[in-house]
């Protein structure tokens, strides 16, 4: 009986130590679950931040395309202005020549 009592005491001590191990493991599991939840929240924030940045990139890309289109329009307008300016100079030269011819004809009469 005393041997059985000693063995029982030993098993009770093992059980007592095991309960501490179980408590320690439960604490670790809770800590890991908390860390997992924090990581999930951080991931959601990162995804949201990435989506915001992608929105900004898309907006800037659109603005760059609009700027490019406006630049092309400005370049075309500048070329057209040069052509019109050249034509105005030609017409002014023709006008001067006609005035000169009119004056010459008026003097001959």
């Amino acid at each position: 009986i005393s041997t059985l009592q000693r063995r029982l005491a030993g098993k009770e001590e093992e059980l007592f130590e095991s309960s501490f191990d179980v408590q320690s493991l439960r604490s670790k599991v809770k800590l890991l679950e908390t860390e997992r939840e924090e990581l999930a929240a951080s991931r959601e924030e990162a995804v949201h931040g990435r989506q915001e940045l992608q929105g900004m990139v898309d907006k800037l890309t659109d603005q760059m395309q609009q700027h490019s289109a406006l630049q092309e329009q400005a370049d075309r307008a500048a070329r057209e202005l040069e052509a019109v300016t050249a034509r105005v100079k030609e017409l002014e030269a023709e006008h001067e020549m006609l005035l000169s011819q009119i004056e010459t004809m008026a003097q001959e009469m």
Side-chain angles (χ1 to χ4, degrees):
I1 289 180
S2 66
T3 303
L4 286 175
Q5 285 176 338
R6 281 193 309 262
R7 285 172 67 189
L8 180 60
K11 293 292 180 185
E12 287 176 347
E13 189 175 319
E14 283 180 35
L15 181 61
F16 185 72
E17 289 174 2
S18 292
S19 71
F20 278 120
D21 290 342
V22 168
Q23 283 294 74
S24 175
L25 288 174
R26 283 183 182 156
S27 295
K28 287 180 182 178
V29 167
K30 285 183 181 180
L31 180 63
L32 289 173
E33 286 175 348
T34 301
E35 288 179 8
R36 184 188 61 176
E37 290 169 1
E38 289 173 356
L39 286 173
S42 293
R43 182 185 174 280
E44 287 180 28
E45 288 177 17
V47 167
H48 181 70
R50 184 193 175 282
Q51 290 171 342
E52 286 181 359
L53 288 174
Q54 186 62 48
M56 288 179 191
V57 166
D58 293 344
K59 184 177 178 181
L60 287 173
T61 300
D62 289 344
Q63 288 176 347
M64 286 174 44
Q65 289 173 346
Q66 290 173 359
H67 178 269
S68 179
L70 290 173
Q71 186 62 49
E72 288 176 18
Q73 289 176 354
D75 291 345
R76 274 195 305 271
R79 287 190 299 273
E80 289 175 15
L81 178 61
E82 287 177 18
V84 168
T85 301
R87 181 64 181 145
V88 166
K89 287 182 181 179
E90 289 174 8
L91 291 173
E92 286 175 343
E94 287 179 27
H95 182 261
E96 290 296 322
M97 185 179 69
L98 289 173
L99 284 177
S100 175
Q101 288 176 355
I102 290 171
E103 285 179 22
T104 303
M105 290 174 83
Q107 288 174 356
E108 289 177 357
M109 293 178 119

